[in-house]
Amino acid sequence: ASNFGPVCPGTPATYTITVNPLPSITSSLNEAVCSGQPFTYTIAADLANTTFTWARAAVAGISNPPASGASVSFTETLNNTTNGDIDVKYILTPRSQAPALCTGNPVTLTVKVRALPFVNAGADITIPYGTYTGLNATASGGTGSLKYSWSPNTYIDSGVSTLTPQTTNLTGSRTFTFTAIDSKGCSL
Protein backbone atom coordinates (compact mmCIF):
# COMPACT_ATOMS: atom_id res chain seq x y z
CA ALA A 1 0.00 0.00 0.00
CA SER A 2 1.10 3.50 -0.72
CA ASN A 3 0.53 6.67 1.17
CA PHE A 4 0.26 8.51 -2.16
CA GLY A 5 -2.68 6.80 -3.80
CA PRO A 6 -3.39 3.58 -5.62
CA VAL A 7 -0.54 1.46 -6.92
CA CYS A 8 -0.56 1.18 -10.72
CA PRO A 9 1.85 -1.19 -12.39
CA GLY A 10 3.80 0.36 -15.28
CA THR A 11 4.65 -1.24 -18.59
CA PRO A 12 8.10 -2.82 -18.43
CA ALA A 13 10.67 -1.45 -20.88
CA THR A 14 13.98 -2.79 -22.07
CA TYR A 15 16.86 -0.48 -22.76
CA THR A 16 20.06 -1.37 -24.57
CA ILE A 17 23.07 0.65 -23.58
CA THR A 18 26.04 0.41 -25.89
CA VAL A 19 29.35 1.29 -24.34
CA ASN A 20 31.86 2.09 -27.05
CA PRO A 21 35.48 1.47 -26.13
CA LEU A 22 37.99 4.30 -26.13
CA PRO A 23 40.79 3.86 -28.64
CA SER A 24 44.32 3.58 -27.27
CA ILE A 25 47.53 4.28 -29.16
CA THR A 26 49.72 1.17 -29.46
CA SER A 27 52.65 2.43 -31.57
CA SER A 28 56.06 3.08 -29.97
CA LEU A 29 56.22 6.32 -28.01
CA ASN A 30 60.03 6.67 -28.00
CA GLU A 31 61.93 7.34 -31.23
CA ALA A 32 65.24 8.92 -32.28
CA VAL A 33 66.49 10.66 -35.40
CA CYS A 34 69.64 12.51 -36.48
CA SER A 35 69.24 16.25 -36.87
CA GLY A 36 68.33 17.19 -40.45
CA GLN A 37 67.12 13.70 -41.38
CA PRO A 38 63.46 13.02 -42.28
CA PHE A 39 61.50 11.39 -39.46
CA THR A 40 58.36 9.46 -40.42
CA TYR A 41 55.99 8.21 -37.75
CA THR A 42 52.90 6.05 -38.25
CA ILE A 43 50.38 6.02 -35.43
CA ALA A 44 48.68 2.71 -34.55
CA ALA A 45 45.76 2.02 -32.22
CA ASP A 46 43.93 -0.94 -30.75
CA LEU A 47 40.67 -0.18 -32.64
CA ALA A 48 40.31 -0.43 -36.42
CA ASN A 49 39.71 2.77 -38.37
CA THR A 50 40.85 5.06 -35.58
CA THR A 51 41.71 8.58 -36.69
CA PHE A 52 44.34 10.75 -35.06
CA THR A 53 45.43 14.29 -34.40
CA TRP A 54 48.98 15.23 -33.47
CA ALA A 55 50.64 18.43 -32.33
CA ARG A 56 54.17 19.60 -31.52
CA ALA A 57 55.02 22.87 -29.81
CA ALA A 58 58.07 24.98 -30.60
CA VAL A 59 61.13 23.60 -28.79
CA ALA A 60 64.23 25.57 -27.77
CA GLY A 61 67.21 24.41 -29.85
CA ILE A 62 65.00 23.05 -32.66
CA SER A 63 64.72 25.51 -35.57
CA ASN A 64 61.35 24.21 -36.81
CA PRO A 65 58.16 26.15 -36.00
CA PRO A 66 55.28 24.37 -34.18
CA ALA A 67 53.39 21.79 -36.23
CA SER A 68 50.15 19.81 -36.06
CA GLY A 69 47.94 17.67 -38.22
CA ALA A 70 45.19 15.08 -38.49
CA SER A 71 46.61 11.96 -40.12
CA VAL A 72 47.69 8.40 -39.40
CA SER A 73 51.29 9.26 -40.31
CA PHE A 74 53.47 12.33 -40.58
CA THR A 75 56.99 13.23 -41.68
CA GLU A 76 59.13 16.05 -40.37
CA THR A 77 62.78 17.01 -40.71
CA LEU A 78 63.76 18.40 -37.32
CA ASN A 79 66.89 20.58 -37.09
CA ASN A 80 68.80 20.57 -33.82
CA THR A 81 70.88 23.75 -33.58
CA THR A 82 72.75 22.74 -30.42
CA ASN A 83 75.63 20.39 -29.63
CA GLY A 84 73.44 18.15 -27.44
CA ASP A 85 70.51 15.82 -28.06
CA ILE A 86 67.05 17.38 -27.61
CA ASP A 87 63.77 15.60 -26.80
CA VAL A 88 60.85 16.81 -28.92
CA LYS A 89 57.41 15.89 -27.64
CA TYR A 90 54.32 15.28 -29.78
CA ILE A 91 50.82 14.98 -28.32
CA LEU A 92 48.92 12.19 -30.11
CA THR A 93 45.15 11.88 -29.69
CA PRO A 94 43.11 8.93 -31.05
CA ARG A 95 39.42 9.11 -32.04
CA SER A 96 37.27 6.08 -32.86
CA GLN A 97 35.24 5.79 -36.04
CA ALA A 98 31.63 6.96 -36.49
CA PRO A 99 29.06 6.71 -35.12
CA ALA A 100 30.73 6.66 -31.69
CA LEU A 101 33.53 9.18 -32.33
CA CYS A 102 34.97 8.54 -28.87
CA THR A 103 38.15 10.44 -28.13
CA GLY A 104 40.80 8.36 -26.41
CA ASN A 105 43.37 9.56 -23.93
CA PRO A 106 46.14 11.70 -25.43
CA VAL A 107 49.66 10.27 -25.15
CA THR A 108 53.12 11.78 -25.61
CA LEU A 109 55.53 10.64 -28.31
CA THR A 110 59.13 11.60 -27.47
CA VAL A 111 61.54 11.95 -30.38
CA LYS A 112 65.21 12.37 -29.45
CA VAL A 113 66.77 14.66 -32.09
CA ARG A 114 70.45 13.78 -32.03
CA ALA A 115 73.02 16.54 -32.41
CA LEU A 116 75.36 16.26 -35.39
CA PRO A 117 79.14 16.26 -35.04
CA PHE A 118 80.81 19.61 -35.76
CA VAL A 119 83.44 19.29 -38.50
CA ASN A 120 85.98 21.49 -40.21
CA ALA A 121 88.00 20.10 -43.13
CA GLY A 122 90.69 22.76 -42.71
CA ALA A 123 91.76 25.72 -44.79
CA ASP A 124 92.15 25.63 -48.56
CA ILE A 125 95.80 25.34 -49.55
CA THR A 126 97.97 25.65 -52.66
CA ILE A 127 100.89 23.25 -53.23
CA PRO A 128 103.43 22.80 -56.03
CA TYR A 129 102.52 20.53 -58.96
CA GLY A 130 103.32 16.85 -58.37
CA THR A 131 103.74 17.08 -54.60
CA TYR A 132 101.74 15.77 -51.68
CA THR A 133 100.36 17.49 -48.63
CA GLY A 134 98.81 16.72 -45.29
CA LEU A 135 95.18 17.56 -44.65
CA ASN A 136 94.14 18.75 -41.22
CA ALA A 137 90.52 18.43 -40.04
CA THR A 138 88.84 18.88 -36.69
CA ALA A 139 85.69 17.19 -35.42
CA SER A 140 83.77 17.16 -32.14
CA GLY A 141 80.31 16.60 -30.74
CA GLY A 142 77.79 14.02 -31.79
CA THR A 143 77.12 10.94 -29.66
CA GLY A 144 79.93 8.62 -28.61
CA SER A 145 83.12 8.12 -30.58
CA LEU A 146 83.57 9.53 -34.08
CA LYS A 147 84.74 7.74 -37.22
CA TYR A 148 86.35 9.77 -40.00
CA SER A 149 86.54 9.50 -43.75
CA TRP A 150 87.86 11.57 -46.64
CA SER A 151 86.77 11.55 -50.25
CA PRO A 152 87.79 11.06 -52.94
CA ASN A 153 89.92 8.48 -51.15
CA THR A 154 91.78 7.57 -54.37
CA TYR A 155 93.91 10.69 -53.77
CA ILE A 156 94.67 9.84 -50.13
CA ASP A 157 97.96 8.00 -49.71
CA SER A 158 97.60 7.21 -46.01
CA GLY A 159 95.33 7.98 -43.08
CA VAL A 160 91.98 8.08 -44.93
CA SER A 161 90.23 7.29 -41.60
CA THR A 162 92.06 9.97 -39.59
CA LEU A 163 91.84 13.70 -39.02
CA THR A 164 95.23 14.23 -40.70
CA PRO A 165 95.72 12.09 -43.83
CA GLN A 166 98.44 12.53 -46.41
CA THR A 167 97.53 12.93 -50.08
CA THR A 168 99.15 11.27 -53.08
CA ASN A 169 101.33 13.42 -55.33
CA LEU A 170 98.76 15.72 -56.89
CA THR A 171 98.91 16.85 -60.53
CA GLY A 172 95.71 18.88 -60.57
CA SER A 173 93.34 20.76 -58.30
CA ARG A 174 91.38 18.51 -55.97
CA THR A 175 88.56 19.16 -53.54
CA PHE A 176 88.49 16.83 -50.54
CA THR A 177 85.41 16.22 -48.43
CA PHE A 178 85.72 15.28 -44.76
CA THR A 179 82.96 13.37 -42.94
CA ALA A 180 82.61 12.47 -39.26
CA ILE A 181 80.06 9.82 -38.23
CA ASP A 182 79.11 9.32 -34.58
CA SER A 183 78.19 6.08 -32.82
CA LYS A 184 74.48 6.60 -33.62
CA GLY A 185 75.13 7.02 -37.36
CA CYS A 186 74.69 10.80 -37.42
CA SER A 187 77.12 12.54 -39.72
CA LEU A 188 78.16 15.85 -41.17
Side-chain angles (χ1 to χ4, degrees), residues 46-122:
D46 60 348
L47 299 178
N49 302 314
T50 298
T51 59
F52 307 94
T53 59
W54 60 271
R56 175 187 52 75
V59 177
I62 299 293
S63 64
N64 306 68
S68 62
S71 58
V72 71
S73 68
F74 58 91
T75 299
E76 285 201 286
T77 301
L78 299 170
N79 296 299
N80 181 342
T81 60
T82 73
N83 61 359
D85 297 347
I86 296 177
D87 287 342
V88 174
K89 298 186 182 297
Y90 291 82
I91 303 302
L92 311 176
T93 306
R95 188 170 184 170
S96 64
Q97 66 179 346
L101 299 175
C102 297
T103 301
N105 294 319
V107 297
T108 301
L109 162 66
T110 301
V111 178
K112 184 174 293 296
V113 183
R114 300 197 186 281
L116 297 178
F118 292 102
V119 300
N120 182 330

Side-chain angles (χ1 to χ4, degrees), residues 120-124 136-138 150:
N120 182 330
D124 292 345
N136 190 14
T138 58
W150 290 87

